Amino acid sequence: MFANLSRLGQLDISYIAHLELETEPQTWSPSFNMYVLKLASCNLRKFPSFLSTQNNLKSLGLSDNFLAGTIPSWVMHNTTSQLWVSGNNLSGPFPEIFRNISSQLTSLDVSDNSFHGPLPEDINLIFPELVYKYANNNCFNGLIPPSFVRLN
C-alpha cells in the first residue's frame, strides 16, 4: 500500500488493534527514505528487509512484536537517534554495530527480550551519544560498565 509513496518520511501504525503487517518480498526496494517508522505491535515476525535500504532513519520503533534472533547490524547502523525493540523474542549478546563505527543513538530500548552475556566494556565507545538506555528483563550477566550507568 505504501510502495509508491516516494515522499513518505514518517509512518506510525503502532498499536492498531488486529493489525498484522505483511512483510514485503526480498526483491522490493522502496522509493521512499523514511526518517521515522513506528511499527510497534504489528505482529512482525522478522525485521522487514526494506529497512536495510533506509539510511536516514532517526527513529525506529519495533516494540511488542514477535521478532526473534539477533538485531541485524544494519538496523543498528541505519538508525541514528532512537531505537525501540522492547517486548520481542530477541536474543544473543548485547547488540553492537559494525566494528570500528560508533553509533549516534541517543535512546535505546532492548528491554523485555532474551539478550544474554555481559555488556561490552567499551559500550561508551560503541554508543557515545546514548542518554536513555533500557535493558531490563534480559539475561545479562557480569559487571555493568560504569559508562552504562552514567548519571546525567
Side-chain angles (χ1 to χ4, degrees):
M1 175 166 43
F2 302 111
N4 295 320
L5 300 176
S6 62
R7 293 180 22 192
L8 183 63
Q10 296 185 64
L11 179 64
D12 184 350
I13 53 174
S14 300
Y15 301 104
I16 298 174
H18 309 294
L19 176 68
E20 187 166 333
L21 189 65
E22 183 178 319
T23 56
E24 76 290 340
Q26 295 287 358
T27 58
W28 183 63
S29 183
S31 60
F32 52 78
N33 207 348
M34 306 283 301
Y35 57 93
V36 175
L37 180 60
K38 296 181 182 178
L39 302 175
S41 192
C42 286
N43 295 305
L44 293 174
R45 303 208 181 283
K46 64 180 186 172
F47 285 87
S49 60
F50 81 89
L51 290 177
S52 67
T53 67
Q54 302 300 296
N55 300 348
N56 293 322
L57 275 172
K58 289 185 180 359
S59 179
L60 178 60
L62 299 173
S63 295
D64 301 321
N65 281 291
F66 299 101
L67 301 174
T70 59
I71 297 175
S73 57
W74 47 262
V75 170
M76 301 298 289
H77 182 71
N78 289 1
T79 309
T80 61
S81 185
Q82 303 168 328
L83 176 60
W84 299 289
V85 292
S86 65
N88 282 289
N89 297 313
L90 297 168
S91 60
F94 189 82
E96 295 183 29
I97 61 170
F98 303 124
R99 287 285 174 205
N100 301 322
I101 298 175
S102 61
S103 170
Q104 299 303 306
L105 286 177
T106 59
S107 179
L108 176 64
D109 187 350
V110 296
S111 61
D112 299 310
N113 279 289
S114 295
F115 291 110
H116 57 79
L119 295 171
E121 287 186 31
D122 62 348
I123 197 164
N124 62 321
L125 299 176
I126 299 167
F127 300 102
E129 306 296 324
L130 202 57
V131 176
Y132 302 100
K133 43 208 165 248
Y134 305 96
N136 55 308
N137 295 325
N138 280 287
C139 298
F140 292 119
N141 60 25
L143 298 174
I144 299 172
S147 61
F148 197 72
V149 291
R150 177 181 63 211
L151 298 175
N152 295 338

mmCIF file with all atom_site columns, all heavy atoms in Angstrom, residues 9-25:
data_model
loop_
_atom_site.group_PDB
_atom_site.id
_atom_site.type_symbol
_atom_site.label_atom_id
_atom_site.label_alt_id
_atom_site.label_comp_id
_atom_site.label_asym_id
_atom_site.label_entity_id
_atom_site.label_seq_id
_atom_site.pdbx_PDB_ins_code
_atom_site.Cartn_x
_atom_site.Cartn_y
_atom_site.Cartn_z
_atom_site.occupancy
_atom_site.B_iso_or_equiv
_atom_site.pdbx_formal_charge
_atom_site.auth_seq_id
_atom_site.auth_comp_id
_atom_site.auth_asym_id
_atom_site.auth_atom_id
_atom_site.pdbx_PDB_model_num
ATOM 1   N N   . GLY A 1 9  ? 7.956  9.927   4.606  1.00 0.00 ? 9  GLY A N   1
ATOM 2   C CA  . GLY A 1 9  ? 9.079  10.102  5.521  1.00 0.00 ? 9  GLY A CA  1
ATOM 3   C C   . GLY A 1 9  ? 8.777  9.634   6.929  1.00 0.00 ? 9  GLY A C   1
ATOM 4   O O   . GLY A 1 9  ? 9.669  9.208   7.639  1.00 0.00 ? 9  GLY A O   1
ATOM 5   N N   . GLN A 1 10 ? 7.503  9.718   7.337  1.00 0.00 ? 10 GLN A N   1
ATOM 6   C CA  . GLN A 1 10 ? 7.092  9.312   8.671  1.00 0.00 ? 10 GLN A CA  1
ATOM 7   C C   . GLN A 1 10 ? 5.894  8.385   8.574  1.00 0.00 ? 10 GLN A C   1
ATOM 8   O O   . GLN A 1 10 ? 4.978  8.642   7.793  1.00 0.00 ? 10 GLN A O   1
ATOM 9   C CB  . GLN A 1 10 ? 6.667  10.514  9.516  1.00 0.00 ? 10 GLN A CB  1
ATOM 10  C CG  . GLN A 1 10 ? 7.747  11.502  9.808  1.00 0.00 ? 10 GLN A CG  1
ATOM 11  C CD  . GLN A 1 10 ? 7.233  12.570  10.755 1.00 0.00 ? 10 GLN A CD  1
ATOM 12  O OE1 . GLN A 1 10 ? 6.892  12.279  11.890 1.00 0.00 ? 10 GLN A OE1 1
ATOM 13  N NE2 . GLN A 1 10 ? 7.169  13.793  10.272 1.00 0.00 ? 10 GLN A NE2 1
ATOM 14  N N   . LEU A 1 11 ? 5.916  7.349   9.402  1.00 0.00 ? 11 LEU A N   1
ATOM 15  C CA  . LEU A 1 11 ? 4.778  6.442   9.456  1.00 0.00 ? 11 LEU A CA  1
ATOM 16  C C   . LEU A 1 11 ? 4.709  5.843   10.854 1.00 0.00 ? 11 LEU A C   1
ATOM 17  O O   . LEU A 1 11 ? 5.696  5.310   11.352 1.00 0.00 ? 11 LEU A O   1
ATOM 18  C CB  . LEU A 1 11 ? 4.914  5.321   8.417  1.00 0.00 ? 11 LEU A CB  1
ATOM 19  C CG  . LEU A 1 11 ? 3.789  4.282   8.387  1.00 0.00 ? 11 LEU A CG  1
ATOM 20  C CD1 . LEU A 1 11 ? 2.456  4.919   7.987  1.00 0.00 ? 11 LEU A CD1 1
ATOM 21  C CD2 . LEU A 1 11 ? 4.151  3.143   7.443  1.00 0.00 ? 11 LEU A CD2 1
ATOM 22  N N   . ASP A 1 12 ? 3.546  5.969   11.476 1.00 0.00 ? 12 ASP A N   1
ATOM 23  C CA  . ASP A 1 12 ? 3.305  5.357   12.778 1.00 0.00 ? 12 ASP A CA  1
ATOM 24  C C   . ASP A 1 12 ? 1.986  4.602   12.704 1.00 0.00 ? 12 ASP A C   1
ATOM 25  O O   . ASP A 1 12 ? 0.918  5.215   12.660 1.00 0.00 ? 12 ASP A O   1
ATOM 26  C CB  . ASP A 1 12 ? 3.253  6.418   13.879 1.00 0.00 ? 12 ASP A CB  1
ATOM 27  C CG  . ASP A 1 12 ? 3.112  5.813   15.272 1.00 0.00 ? 12 ASP A CG  1
ATOM 28  O OD1 . ASP A 1 12 ? 2.870  4.585   15.390 1.00 0.00 ? 12 ASP A OD1 1
ATOM 29  O OD2 . ASP A 1 12 ? 3.247  6.564   16.250 1.00 0.00 ? 12 ASP A OD2 1
ATOM 30  N N   . ILE A 1 13 ? 2.081  3.290   12.652 1.00 0.00 ? 13 ILE A N   1
ATOM 31  C CA  . ILE A 1 13 ? 0.878  2.451   12.662 1.00 0.00 ? 13 ILE A CA  1
ATOM 32  C C   . ILE A 1 13 ? 0.948  1.488   13.853 1.00 0.00 ? 13 ILE A C   1
ATOM 33  O O   . ILE A 1 13 ? 0.503  0.350   13.784 1.00 0.00 ? 13 ILE A O   1
ATOM 34  C CB  . ILE A 1 13 ? 0.676  1.694   11.326 1.00 0.00 ? 13 ILE A CB  1
ATOM 35  C CG1 . ILE A 1 13 ? 1.919  0.918   10.925 1.00 0.00 ? 13 ILE A CG1 1
ATOM 36  C CG2 . ILE A 1 13 ? 0.272  2.667   10.219 1.00 0.00 ? 13 ILE A CG2 1
ATOM 37  C CD1 . ILE A 1 13 ? 1.722  0.047   9.691  1.00 0.00 ? 13 ILE A CD1 1
ATOM 38  N N   . SER A 1 14 ? 1.510  1.974   14.942 1.00 0.00 ? 14 SER A N   1
ATOM 39  C CA  . SER A 1 14 ? 1.671  1.177   16.150 1.00 0.00 ? 14 SER A CA  1
ATOM 40  C C   . SER A 1 14 ? 0.360  0.994   16.890 1.00 0.00 ? 14 SER A C   1
ATOM 41  O O   . SER A 1 14 ? -0.484 1.887   16.907 1.00 0.00 ? 14 SER A O   1
ATOM 42  C CB  . SER A 1 14 ? 2.674  1.849   17.093 1.00 0.00 ? 14 SER A CB  1
ATOM 43  O OG  . SER A 1 14 ? 3.920  1.969   16.480 1.00 0.00 ? 14 SER A OG  1
ATOM 44  N N   . TYR A 1 15 ? 0.241  -0.156  17.512 1.00 0.00 ? 15 TYR A N   1
ATOM 45  C CA  . TYR A 1 15 ? -0.853 -0.469  18.444 1.00 0.00 ? 15 TYR A CA  1
ATOM 46  C C   . TYR A 1 15 ? -2.245 -0.263  17.850 1.00 0.00 ? 15 TYR A C   1
ATOM 47  O O   . TYR A 1 15 ? -3.147 0.211   18.526 1.00 0.00 ? 15 TYR A O   1
ATOM 48  C CB  . TYR A 1 15 ? -0.688 0.318   19.755 1.00 0.00 ? 15 TYR A CB  1
ATOM 49  C CG  . TYR A 1 15 ? 0.617  0.002   20.434 1.00 0.00 ? 15 TYR A CG  1
ATOM 50  C CD1 . TYR A 1 15 ? 1.676  0.906   20.394 1.00 0.00 ? 15 TYR A CD1 1
ATOM 51  C CD2 . TYR A 1 15 ? 0.805  -1.205  21.086 1.00 0.00 ? 15 TYR A CD2 1
ATOM 52  C CE1 . TYR A 1 15 ? 2.888  0.613   21.012 1.00 0.00 ? 15 TYR A CE1 1
ATOM 53  C CE2 . TYR A 1 15 ? 2.007  -1.510  21.696 1.00 0.00 ? 15 TYR A CE2 1
ATOM 54  C CZ  . TYR A 1 15 ? 3.043  -0.596  21.659 1.00 0.00 ? 15 TYR A CZ  1
ATOM 55  O OH  . TYR A 1 15 ? 4.244  -0.896  22.265 1.00 0.00 ? 15 TYR A OH  1
ATOM 56  N N   . ILE A 1 16 ? -2.417 -0.594  16.606 1.00 0.00 ? 16 ILE A N   1
ATOM 57  C CA  . ILE A 1 16 ? -3.741 -0.596  15.995 1.00 0.00 ? 16 ILE A CA  1
ATOM 58  C C   . ILE A 1 16 ? -4.280 -2.013  16.157 1.00 0.00 ? 16 ILE A C   1
ATOM 59  O O   . ILE A 1 16 ? -3.671 -2.979  15.684 1.00 0.00 ? 16 ILE A O   1
ATOM 60  C CB  . ILE A 1 16 ? -3.685 -0.188  14.511 1.00 0.00 ? 16 ILE A CB  1
ATOM 61  C CG1 . ILE A 1 16 ? -3.150 1.239   14.381 1.00 0.00 ? 16 ILE A CG1 1
ATOM 62  C CG2 . ILE A 1 16 ? -5.060 -0.323  13.869 1.00 0.00 ? 16 ILE A CG2 1
ATOM 63  C CD1 . ILE A 1 16 ? -2.922 1.696   12.955 1.00 0.00 ? 16 ILE A CD1 1
ATOM 64  N N   . ALA A 1 17 ? -5.402 -2.145  16.842 1.00 0.00 ? 17 ALA A N   1
ATOM 65  C CA  . ALA A 1 17 ? -5.951 -3.463  17.160 1.00 0.00 ? 17 ALA A CA  1
ATOM 66  C C   . ALA A 1 17 ? -6.132 -4.307  15.904 1.00 0.00 ? 17 ALA A C   1
ATOM 67  O O   . ALA A 1 17 ? -6.618 -3.831  14.878 1.00 0.00 ? 17 ALA A O   1
ATOM 68  C CB  . ALA A 1 17 ? -7.281 -3.313  17.884 1.00 0.00 ? 17 ALA A CB  1
ATOM 69  N N   . HIS A 1 18 ? -5.697 -5.538  15.984 1.00 0.00 ? 18 HIS A N   1
ATOM 70  C CA  . HIS A 1 18 ? -5.861 -6.553  14.944 1.00 0.00 ? 18 HIS A CA  1
ATOM 71  C C   . HIS A 1 18 ? -5.095 -6.258  13.663 1.00 0.00 ? 18 HIS A C   1
ATOM 72  O O   . HIS A 1 18 ? -5.379 -6.840  12.622 1.00 0.00 ? 18 HIS A O   1
ATOM 73  C CB  . HIS A 1 18 ? -7.341 -6.791  14.615 1.00 0.00 ? 18 HIS A CB  1
ATOM 74  C CG  . HIS A 1 18 ? -8.175 -7.049  15.826 1.00 0.00 ? 18 HIS A CG  1
ATOM 75  N ND1 . HIS A 1 18 ? -8.021 -8.170  16.611 1.00 0.00 ? 18 HIS A ND1 1
ATOM 76  C CD2 . HIS A 1 18 ? -9.139 -6.310  16.408 1.00 0.00 ? 18 HIS A CD2 1
ATOM 77  C CE1 . HIS A 1 18 ? -8.878 -8.118  17.615 1.00 0.00 ? 18 HIS A CE1 1
ATOM 78  N NE2 . HIS A 1 18 ? -9.565 -6.999  17.526 1.00 0.00 ? 18 HIS A NE2 1
ATOM 79  N N   . LEU A 1 19 ? -4.149 -5.338  13.708 1.00 0.00 ? 19 LEU A N   1
ATOM 80  C CA  . LEU A 1 19 ? -3.340 -5.050  12.531 1.00 0.00 ? 19 LEU A CA  1
ATOM 81  C C   . LEU A 1 19 ? -2.210 -6.064  12.452 1.00 0.00 ? 19 LEU A C   1
ATOM 82  O O   . LEU A 1 19 ? -1.531 -6.331  13.429 1.00 0.00 ? 19 LEU A O   1
ATOM 83  C CB  . LEU A 1 19 ? -2.749 -3.637  12.600 1.00 0.00 ? 19 LEU A CB  1
ATOM 84  C CG  . LEU A 1 19 ? -1.804 -3.261  11.462 1.00 0.00 ? 19 LEU A CG  1
ATOM 85  C CD1 . LEU A 1 19 ? -2.567 -3.154  10.149 1.00 0.00 ? 19 LEU A CD1 1
ATOM 86  C CD2 . LEU A 1 19 ? -1.092 -1.961  11.767 1.00 0.00 ? 19 LEU A CD2 1
ATOM 87  N N   . GLU A 1 20 ? -2.022 -6.625  11.295 1.00 0.00 ? 20 GLU A N   1
ATOM 88  C CA  . GLU A 1 20 ? -0.900 -7.522  11.053 1.00 0.00 ? 20 GLU A CA  1
ATOM 89  C C   . GLU A 1 20 ? -0.212 -7.056  9.789  1.00 0.00 ? 20 GLU A C   1
ATOM 90  O O   . GLU A 1 20 ? -0.805 -7.045  8.717  1.00 0.00 ? 20 GLU A O   1
ATOM 91  C CB  . GLU A 1 20 ? -1.370 -8.971  10.904 1.00 0.00 ? 20 GLU A CB  1
ATOM 92  C CG  . GLU A 1 20 ? -0.216 -9.937  10.828 1.00 0.00 ? 20 GLU A CG  1
ATOM 93  C CD  . GLU A 1 20 ? -0.660 -11.370 11.024 1.00 0.00 ? 20 GLU A CD  1
ATOM 94  O OE1 . GLU A 1 20 ? -1.679 -11.600 11.694 1.00 0.00 ? 20 GLU A OE1 1
ATOM 95  O OE2 . GLU A 1 20 ? 0.023  -12.258 10.492 1.00 0.00 ? 20 GLU A OE2 1
ATOM 96  N N   . LEU A 1 21 ? 1.016  -6.630  9.929  1.00 0.00 ? 21 LEU A N   1
ATOM 97  C CA  . LEU A 1 21 ? 1.765  -6.088  8.806  1.00 0.00 ? 21 LEU A CA  1
ATOM 98  C C   . LEU A 1 21 ? 2.405  -7.221  8.014  1.00 0.00 ? 21 LEU A C   1
ATOM 99  O O   . LEU A 1 21 ? 3.095  -8.062  8.567  1.00 0.00 ? 21 LEU A O   1
ATOM 100 C CB  . LEU A 1 21 ? 2.845  -5.134  9.316  1.00 0.00 ? 21 LEU A CB  1
ATOM 101 C CG  . LEU A 1 21 ? 3.589  -4.325  8.285  1.00 0.00 ? 21 LEU A CG  1
ATOM 102 C CD1 . LEU A 1 21 ? 2.651  -3.360  7.583  1.00 0.00 ? 21 LEU A CD1 1
ATOM 103 C CD2 . LEU A 1 21 ? 4.722  -3.562  8.934  1.00 0.00 ? 21 LEU A CD2 1
ATOM 104 N N   . GLU A 1 22 ? 2.157  -7.238  6.743  1.00 0.00 ? 22 GLU A N   1
ATOM 105 C CA  . GLU A 1 22 ? 2.751  -8.254  5.882  1.00 0.00 ? 22 GLU A CA  1
ATOM 106 C C   . GLU A 1 22 ? 4.075  -7.733  5.372  1.00 0.00 ? 22 GLU A C   1
ATOM 107 O O   . GLU A 1 22 ? 4.159  -6.628  4.826  1.00 0.00 ? 22 GLU A O   1
ATOM 108 C CB  . GLU A 1 22 ? 1.817  -8.547  4.705  1.00 0.00 ? 22 GLU A CB  1
ATOM 109 C CG  . GLU A 1 22 ? 2.325  -9.641  3.793  1.00 0.00 ? 22 GLU A CG  1
ATOM 110 C CD  . GLU A 1 22 ? 1.339  -9.933  2.676  1.00 0.00 ? 22 GLU A CD  1
ATOM 111 O OE1 . GLU A 1 22 ? 0.124  -9.955  2.946  1.00 0.00 ? 22 GLU A OE1 1
ATOM 112 O OE2 . GLU A 1 22 ? 1.787  -10.104 1.541  1.00 0.00 ? 22 GLU A OE2 1
ATOM 113 N N   . THR A 1 23 ? 5.124  -8.518  5.585  1.00 0.00 ? 23 THR A N   1
ATOM 114 C CA  . THR A 1 23 ? 6.436  -8.078  5.105  1.00 0.00 ? 23 THR A CA  1
ATOM 115 C C   . THR A 1 23 ? 6.518  -8.286  3.603  1.00 0.00 ? 23 THR A C   1
ATOM 116 O O   . THR A 1 23 ? 5.838  -9.122  3.032  1.00 0.00 ? 23 THR A O   1
ATOM 117 C CB  . THR A 1 23 ? 7.570  -8.830  5.821  1.00 0.00 ? 23 THR A CB  1
ATOM 118 O OG1 . THR A 1 23 ? 7.376  -10.218 5.644  1.00 0.00 ? 23 THR A OG1 1
ATOM 119 C CG2 . THR A 1 23 ? 7.603  -8.479  7.292  1.00 0.00 ? 23 THR A CG2 1
ATOM 120 N N   . GLU A 1 24 ? 7.361  -7.511  2.994  1.00 0.00 ? 24 GLU A N   1
ATOM 121 C CA  . GLU A 1 24 ? 7.487  -7.455  1.539  1.00 0.00 ? 24 GLU A CA  1
ATOM 122 C C   . GLU A 1 24 ? 8.384  -8.557  1.017  1.00 0.00 ? 24 GLU A C   1
ATOM 123 O O   . GLU A 1 24 ? 9.155  -9.144  1.758  1.00 0.00 ? 24 GLU A O   1
ATOM 124 C CB  . GLU A 1 24 ? 8.028  -6.090  1.157  1.00 0.00 ? 24 GLU A CB  1
ATOM 125 C CG  . GLU A 1 24 ? 9.509  -5.913  1.415  1.00 0.00 ? 24 GLU A CG  1
ATOM 126 C CD  . GLU A 1 24 ? 9.922  -5.847  2.885  1.00 0.00 ? 24 GLU A CD  1
ATOM 127 O OE1 . GLU A 1 24 ? 9.093  -5.559  3.753  1.00 0.00 ? 24 GLU A OE1 1
ATOM 128 O OE2 . GLU A 1 24 ? 11.094 -6.101  3.155  1.00 0.00 ? 24 GLU A OE2 1
ATOM 129 N N   . PRO A 1 25 ? 8.337  -8.813  -0.274 1.00 0.00 ? 25 PRO A N   1
ATOM 130 C CA  . PRO A 1 25 ? 9.258  -9.784  -0.862 1.00 0.00 ? 25 PRO A CA  1
ATOM 131 C C   . PRO A 1 25 ? 10.703 -9.272  -0.766 1.00 0.00 ? 25 PRO A C   1
ATOM 132 O O   . PRO A 1 25 ? 10.941 -8.071  -0.695 1.00 0.00 ? 25 PRO A O   1
ATOM 133 C CB  . PRO A 1 25 ? 8.813  -9.879  -2.326 1.00 0.00 ? 25 PRO A CB  1
ATOM 134 C CG  . PRO A 1 25 ? 7.820  -8.815  -2.540 1.00 0.00 ? 25 PRO A CG  1
ATOM 135 C CD  . PRO A 1 25 ? 7.409  -8.245  -1.222 1.00 0.00 ? 25 PRO A CD  1
#
